Each structure stands twice: as C-alpha cells, then as structure tokens.
Amino acid sequence: LASFRDSWLLQRGYPKLTYEGTWNRENSTYELKLTQTPNHETDKSVFVFKLPVVFHRRESPVYSKEITVKMDKASQTLSVELPAEPLWISINPGSVVLGKMIQKKRDERILALQATQDPDPVIRIWASFELASALDERKTLSTLSENTLAKVLESDRSAYVRNAVLQFFQRTKSAMLPEMISGKILSLAKSPVVKVASDKHGWPQFRS
C-alpha cells in the first residue's frame, strides 16, 4: 500500500490523464500514449496507480479487451495487440482512479459511440458530458451531439445515466437549450409510457 499512501494521502490534488492513440495496420497493434500531470500546476509529483483500459469493437471481429496499466511515470506508450482496429477506447471505466480523463484529440464520433454503446455507465455519462460541454461555453451543439444526447435521454438502459444528463442540462450556463433536446425532455415528461423499465427505482427519479 506504500504507493497508494504516497499518492493519495501524502500528495495533494489528483492527476489529469491525457490519452491518445494510433492504429498500426501492419502489425495489428494499437499505440496508446498516456500522460499524467498534477492538477496543481506548481506540483511536479507523479501519482502511482493502476489504470484500467478497455478496447471496444462492435463490428466483426467483435471484441472487448481489457488491460491494466501501471502508471508510475509522467508519460508512457504501450503497444497492444488486437484482432482489428478498435472503434473506441474506454479509459478508467468505473472511475477506479480518482482523476480527470482528457481525450487529447477530441473526436465527437468516438464520444458518440461511448455515450450510446459503452457497457460502463460511468463512461456513458462522461462521454455525454463531453458532448454537451459546448453549452457551458455558450456555444452551439453539433447535429451529432444533439442527436446523441437526445438518444441517451430517451433510451439509455440506466435511468441514472439519463438522470445525470438531465441534471447537466439543468445546471448548464447556456441561456437556452437546443430545440431537439428541449423537445425530447418535454415529450418524455408528457409520456406515460415507461420506455426503459429495467430499473423501477430509477424511472420515477428520472420522471421527477
């Protein structure tokens, strides 16, 4: 437990973890680069933790491959053999590492896949927040972001994910919600039909 004690009890703050990757078609490997920096700019310390990473593909060949990366340096690059190019990568599913994950090259297409298809509800919430973040900057959402967020609100299998996205819209700094989003919220509020009834406790909370 020494590394855990040193990182999370004796150091302040948390790590900001930036990730990016490229697919090497010749040898079927994914080059994943991970870089961590403390959230306090004046700090130079390195956090030590085990980071779960999952590679996903929903086209043939379908797979989900999980690895665990020991982060004990400021930056490291891994070469991971995979059956085919992954459609998206989930960094820190379940939020087991208390840090901030940052997609270096923001890709809305990948975020949309994560928001709607990732098996981990925490990743789906994170991706949804990333897609909706333009509202906090008083910017306009792209058509892809609007369509994806409307789909999450209407049909995500977890009422708690849907509720988290609703709460984001409730506290956004934007003066007005996009028409597609506000229309979806209104239609859901009026609808007596439980479209996703897998969680009887979560549904009333979402409706409320």
Side-chain angles (χ1 to χ4, degrees):
L1 293 176
S3 60
F4 179 88
R5 176 203 62 199
D6 294 343
S7 292
W8 305 107
L9 299 181
L10 302 183
Q11 292 177 197
R12 66 173 180 166
Y14 56 86
K16 295 191 295 182
L17 192 69
T18 302
Y19 65 94
E20 61 178 325
T22 56
W23 174 247
N24 189 328
R25 191 180 301 275
E26 292 182 1
N27 55 11
S28 295
T29 58
Y30 191 89
E31 305 293 326
L32 176 65
K33 183 177 181 180
L34 300 162
T35 304
Q36 64 159 310
T37 56
N39 69 310
H40 294 284
E41 295 182 359
T42 56
D43 288 353
K44 302 298 180 184
S45 54
V46 173
F47 289 81
V48 178
F49 53 88
K50 293 181 180 179
L51 177 72
V53 177
V54 185
F55 301 85
H56 295 282
R57 184 179 174 91
R58 291 293 179 265
E59 300 172 358
S60 181
V62 177
Y63 67 81
S64 288
K65 179 174 180 177
E66 180 173 358
I67 64 171
T68 301
V69 181
K70 183 176 181 181
M71 289 294 297
D72 55 2
K73 58 185 75 171
S75 179
Q76 59 178 302
T77 302
L78 306 172
S79 181
V80 183
E81 291 188 11
L82 296 169
E85 182 178 7
L87 292 181
W88 78 90
I89 301 168
S90 297
I91 305 292
N92 194 31
S95 294
V96 296
V97 177
L98 305 177
K100 181 177 182 179
M101 307 299 131
I102 303 170
Q103 188 185 52
K104 186 171 183 178
K105 297 178 181 178
R106 191 177 187 277
D107 190 323
E108 281 196 341
R109 180 185 60 84
I110 293 176
L111 289 171
L113 285 172
Q114 291 177 292
T116 56
Q117 297 190 37
D118 200 282
D120 186 87
V122 177
I123 293 291
R124 297 202 303 275
I125 291 173
W126 171 82
S128 297
F129 284 4
E130 288 291 308
L131 290 172
S133 61
L135 290 176
D136 275 346
E137 300 172 8
R138 295 177 173 83
K139 296 180 180 178
T140 303
L141 292 183
S142 69
T143 301
L144 176 60
S145 292
E146 281 195 45
N147 288 334
T148 302
L149 291 167
K151 183 177 180 180
V152 171
L153 283 173
E154 184 177 38
S155 59
D156 191 276
R157 55 188 177 275
S158 169
Y160 299 97
V161 172
R162 303 198 304 276
N163 194 49
V165 176
L166 272 178
Q167 289 176 350
F168 180 96
F169 291 131
Q170 183 180 15
R171 64 176 181 268
T172 182
K173 298 175 183 177
S174 178
M176 185 177 296
L177 291 177
E179 186 174 352
M180 181 182 295
I181 300 298
S182 58
K184 183 62 63 179
I185 293 173
L186 183 60
S187 66
L188 287 169
K190 290 181 176 180
S191 173
V193 179
V194 179
K195 296 186 178 182
V196 183
S198 58
D199 187 338
K200 295 180 180 179
H201 297 288
W203 173 254
Q205 181 183 6
F206 174 69
R207 283 297 298 272
S208 175

